[in-house]
Amino acid sequence: MDSLNFEFIKQLDHGSNKQQFATLNKTQDILNYETEYELTFVDILGLSKAVEIVSEFYDVKSVVIAKGNQVTGVALGTDLDEALKKAVDCNPVDSLSGVVAFSETLDKKVAMQLNAGHLVVAPEFDSDAKAVLEKNSVRYVKLNTPLNEVKNFKTEEVIVTPFGTLVQDVDKTELGKDNFKIVTKTKPTVEQIEDSVFAWKVAKYVKSNGVVIAKNFKTLAIA
């Protein structure tokens, strides 16, 4: 990276805390989305984290719950209703609020499980789901950029520190059950391998040296 050119988009109400000044800027192409609601600094952090993770599972029914820059639950299911219940079960207390990202169109049944503390993002919302969300004062964001293209919108990570500005490539490596080594004497089951791949995809978005424990396509612990 030679330089960062900031294109001002708008001033936010505040930063992480009410006493902090904050703005939203553009340094590269950004995702195409629609919302009628004002997004806060923390909303945008949570949206970014949740959408990046759910994009890893764009071709299955998946749900990601995030608060700020922290992931609280990730799960796959036979439908979005099951995936949401599994994701909430990962951390029932923290899941009462925050960003909830879905990989597919949100319907009324799922919308009824969300509350005013949530900010919901999905590729589409059916009319009944919108009616429920609006009645219950649940903010929502429609993501127009296809989930399988989300990875193309982030090429570098930049962290400003008192010692200098750190820049690194985004981790875009792919892991499948056929391209990693088994180093234990006991061979894992197919289910254990699939859960390991699932956990690894989530771990890419957790802080350095993070730990993700998962079973049955559901995170049990994230640290």
Side-chain angles (χ1 to χ4, degrees), residues 129-143:
K130 287 183 179 179
V132 169
L133 294 175
E134 290 166 1
K135 178 182 178 181
N136 295 330
S137 300
V138 182
R139 297 175 301 151
Y140 59 93
V141 175
K142 180 179 179 294
L143 187 66

PDB file of all heavy atoms in Angstrom, residues 129-143:
ATOM      1  N   ALA A 129     -41.828 -10.220   6.508  1.00  0.00           N
ATOM      2  CA  ALA A 129     -40.701 -10.026   7.428  1.00  0.00           C
ATOM      3  C   ALA A 129     -40.489  -8.534   7.685  1.00  0.00           C
ATOM      4  O   ALA A 129     -40.284  -8.107   8.834  1.00  0.00           O
ATOM      5  CB  ALA A 129     -39.435 -10.649   6.860  1.00  0.00           C
ATOM      6  N   LYS A 130     -40.556  -7.727   6.639  1.00  0.00           N
ATOM      7  CA  LYS A 130     -40.392  -6.278   6.795  1.00  0.00           C
ATOM      8  C   LYS A 130     -41.464  -5.708   7.718  1.00  0.00           C
ATOM      9  O   LYS A 130     -41.181  -4.868   8.578  1.00  0.00           O
ATOM     10  CB  LYS A 130     -40.455  -5.586   5.430  1.00  0.00           C
ATOM     11  CG  LYS A 130     -39.236  -5.788   4.560  1.00  0.00           C
ATOM     12  CD  LYS A 130     -39.390  -5.007   3.265  1.00  0.00           C
ATOM     13  CE  LYS A 130     -38.183  -5.165   2.374  1.00  0.00           C
ATOM     14  NZ  LYS A 130     -38.337  -4.419   1.099  1.00  0.00           N
ATOM     15  N   ALA A 131     -42.695  -6.177   7.541  1.00  0.00           N
ATOM     16  CA  ALA A 131     -43.800  -5.683   8.363  1.00  0.00           C
ATOM     17  C   ALA A 131     -43.563  -5.994   9.837  1.00  0.00           C
ATOM     18  O   ALA A 131     -43.797  -5.150  10.710  1.00  0.00           O
ATOM     19  CB  ALA A 131     -45.116  -6.288   7.883  1.00  0.00           C
ATOM     20  N   VAL A 132     -43.076  -7.200  10.121  1.00  0.00           N
ATOM     21  CA  VAL A 132     -42.808  -7.607  11.502  1.00  0.00           C
ATOM     22  C   VAL A 132     -41.672  -6.788  12.088  1.00  0.00           C
ATOM     23  O   VAL A 132     -41.757  -6.293  13.223  1.00  0.00           O
ATOM     24  CB  VAL A 132     -42.478  -9.115  11.574  1.00  0.00           C
ATOM     25  CG1 VAL A 132     -41.943  -9.485  12.956  1.00  0.00           C
ATOM     26  CG2 VAL A 132     -43.706  -9.940  11.247  1.00  0.00           C
ATOM     27  N   LEU A 133     -40.596  -6.631  11.334  1.00  0.00           N
ATOM     28  CA  LEU A 133     -39.439  -5.880  11.816  1.00  0.00           C
ATOM     29  C   LEU A 133     -39.813  -4.433  12.117  1.00  0.00           C
ATOM     30  O   LEU A 133     -39.436  -3.879  13.155  1.00  0.00           O
ATOM     31  CB  LEU A 133     -38.306  -5.935  10.788  1.00  0.00           C
ATOM     32  CG  LEU A 133     -37.678  -7.317  10.540  1.00  0.00           C
ATOM     33  CD1 LEU A 133     -36.662  -7.232   9.409  1.00  0.00           C
ATOM     34  CD2 LEU A 133     -37.027  -7.869  11.795  1.00  0.00           C
ATOM     35  N   GLU A 134     -40.553  -3.826  11.226  1.00  0.00           N
ATOM     36  CA  GLU A 134     -40.941  -2.426  11.418  1.00  0.00           C
ATOM     37  C   GLU A 134     -41.898  -2.273  12.604  1.00  0.00           C
ATOM     38  O   GLU A 134     -41.794  -1.317  13.376  1.00  0.00           O
ATOM     39  CB  GLU A 134     -41.559  -1.889  10.132  1.00  0.00           C
ATOM     40  CG  GLU A 134     -40.513  -1.724   9.022  1.00  0.00           C
ATOM     41  CD  GLU A 134     -41.124  -1.521   7.646  1.00  0.00           C
ATOM     42  OE1 GLU A 134     -42.374  -1.484   7.548  1.00  0.00           O
ATOM     43  OE2 GLU A 134     -40.348  -1.424   6.665  1.00  0.00           O
ATOM     44  N   LYS A 135     -42.806  -3.217  12.768  1.00  0.00           N
ATOM     45  CA  LYS A 135     -43.739  -3.179  13.898  1.00  0.00           C
ATOM     46  C   LYS A 135     -42.994  -3.278  15.222  1.00  0.00           C
ATOM     47  O   LYS A 135     -43.360  -2.613  16.207  1.00  0.00           O
ATOM     48  CB  LYS A 135     -44.748  -4.326  13.779  1.00  0.00           C
ATOM     49  CG  LYS A 135     -45.738  -4.394  14.927  1.00  0.00           C
ATOM     50  CD  LYS A 135     -46.686  -5.566  14.779  1.00  0.00           C
ATOM     51  CE  LYS A 135     -47.642  -5.646  15.963  1.00  0.00           C
ATOM     52  NZ  LYS A 135     -48.570  -6.822  15.846  1.00  0.00           N
ATOM     53  N   ASN A 136     -41.932  -4.081  15.247  1.00  0.00           N
ATOM     54  CA  ASN A 136     -41.173  -4.302  16.475  1.00  0.00           C
ATOM     55  C   ASN A 136     -39.955  -3.391  16.607  1.00  0.00           C
ATOM     56  O   ASN A 136     -39.106  -3.602  17.463  1.00  0.00           O
ATOM     57  CB  ASN A 136     -40.736  -5.766  16.557  1.00  0.00           C
ATOM     58  CG  ASN A 136     -41.915  -6.710  16.692  1.00  0.00           C
ATOM     59  OD1 ASN A 136     -42.942  -6.347  17.263  1.00  0.00           O
ATOM     60  ND2 ASN A 136     -41.773  -7.921  16.170  1.00  0.00           N
ATOM     61  N   SER A 137     -39.878  -2.381  15.741  1.00  0.00           N
ATOM     62  CA  SER A 137     -38.790  -1.385  15.782  1.00  0.00           C
ATOM     63  C   SER A 137     -37.408  -2.023  15.637  1.00  0.00           C
ATOM     64  O   SER A 137     -36.451  -1.627  16.306  1.00  0.00           O
ATOM     65  CB  SER A 137     -38.856  -0.570  17.087  1.00  0.00           C
ATOM     66  OG  SER A 137     -40.086   0.105  17.199  1.00  0.00           O
ATOM     67  N   VAL A 138     -37.320  -3.007  14.751  1.00  0.00           N
ATOM     68  CA  VAL A 138     -36.047  -3.677  14.479  1.00  0.00           C
ATOM     69  C   VAL A 138     -35.450  -3.063  13.214  1.00  0.00           C
ATOM     70  O   VAL A 138     -36.076  -3.094  12.151  1.00  0.00           O
ATOM     71  CB  VAL A 138     -36.219  -5.196  14.285  1.00  0.00           C
ATOM     72  CG1 VAL A 138     -34.865  -5.852  14.066  1.00  0.00           C
ATOM     73  CG2 VAL A 138     -36.930  -5.804  15.486  1.00  0.00           C
ATOM     74  N   ARG A 139     -34.273  -2.486  13.317  1.00  0.00           N
ATOM     75  CA  ARG A 139     -33.616  -1.902  12.145  1.00  0.00           C
ATOM     76  C   ARG A 139     -33.068  -3.008  11.246  1.00  0.00           C
ATOM     77  O   ARG A 139     -32.660  -4.062  11.734  1.00  0.00           O
ATOM     78  CB  ARG A 139     -32.489  -0.979  12.571  1.00  0.00           C
ATOM     79  CG  ARG A 139     -32.935   0.235  13.389  1.00  0.00           C
ATOM     80  CD  ARG A 139     -31.753   1.041  13.865  1.00  0.00           C
ATOM     81  NE  ARG A 139     -30.861   0.234  14.684  1.00  0.00           N
ATOM     82  CZ  ARG A 139     -29.552   0.438  14.787  1.00  0.00           C
ATOM     83  NH1 ARG A 139     -28.960   1.395  14.107  1.00  0.00           N
ATOM     84  NH2 ARG A 139     -28.829  -0.319  15.575  1.00  0.00           N
ATOM     85  N   TYR A 140     -33.066  -2.755   9.947  1.00  0.00           N
ATOM     86  CA  TYR A 140     -32.553  -3.776   9.039  1.00  0.00           C
ATOM     87  C   TYR A 140     -31.840  -3.142   7.841  1.00  0.00           C
ATOM     88  O   TYR A 140     -32.102  -2.006   7.457  1.00  0.00           O
ATOM     89  CB  TYR A 140     -33.668  -4.719   8.575  1.00  0.00           C
ATOM     90  CG  TYR A 140     -34.821  -4.064   7.843  1.00  0.00           C
ATOM     91  CD1 TYR A 140     -34.819  -3.964   6.451  1.00  0.00           C
ATOM     92  CD2 TYR A 140     -35.924  -3.574   8.538  1.00  0.00           C
ATOM     93  CE1 TYR A 140     -35.879  -3.393   5.774  1.00  0.00           C
ATOM     94  CE2 TYR A 140     -36.993  -3.000   7.876  1.00  0.00           C
ATOM     95  CZ  TYR A 140     -36.968  -2.914   6.490  1.00  0.00           C
ATOM     96  OH  TYR A 140     -38.021  -2.339   5.818  1.00  0.00           O
ATOM     97  N   VAL A 141     -30.929  -3.929   7.282  1.00  0.00           N
ATOM     98  CA  VAL A 141     -30.104  -3.514   6.140  1.00  0.00           C
ATOM     99  C   VAL A 141     -30.200  -4.569   5.061  1.00  0.00           C
ATOM    100  O   VAL A 141     -30.012  -5.763   5.326  1.00  0.00           O
ATOM    101  CB  VAL A 141     -28.627  -3.340   6.555  1.00  0.00           C
ATOM    102  CG1 VAL A 141     -27.759  -3.017   5.344  1.00  0.00           C
ATOM    103  CG2 VAL A 141     -28.480  -2.269   7.626  1.00  0.00           C
ATOM    104  N   LYS A 142     -30.506  -4.160   3.848  1.00  0.00           N
ATOM    105  CA  LYS A 142     -30.543  -5.078   2.710  1.00  0.00           C
ATOM    106  C   LYS A 142     -29.203  -5.013   1.987  1.00  0.00           C
ATOM    107  O   LYS A 142     -28.786  -3.946   1.519  1.00  0.00           O
ATOM    108  CB  LYS A 142     -31.668  -4.703   1.751  1.00  0.00           C
ATOM    109  CG  LYS A 142     -31.781  -5.606   0.526  1.00  0.00           C
ATOM    110  CD  LYS A 142     -32.933  -5.166  -0.358  1.00  0.00           C
ATOM    111  CE  LYS A 142     -33.049  -6.049  -1.590  1.00  0.00           C
ATOM    112  NZ  LYS A 142     -31.890  -5.920  -2.504  1.00  0.00           N
ATOM    113  N   LEU A 143     -28.520  -6.131   1.914  1.00  0.00           N
ATOM    114  CA  LEU A 143     -27.215  -6.184   1.262  1.00  0.00           C
ATOM    115  C   LEU A 143     -27.393  -6.546  -0.206  1.00  0.00           C
ATOM    116  O   LEU A 143     -27.800  -7.663  -0.545  1.00  0.00           O
ATOM    117  CB  LEU A 143     -26.327  -7.227   1.962  1.00  0.00           C
ATOM    118  CG  LEU A 143     -24.875  -7.285   1.502  1.00  0.00           C
ATOM    119  CD1 LEU A 143     -24.136  -6.003   1.861  1.00  0.00           C
ATOM    120  CD2 LEU A 143     -24.169  -8.489   2.119  1.00  0.00           C
TER     121      LEU A 143
END
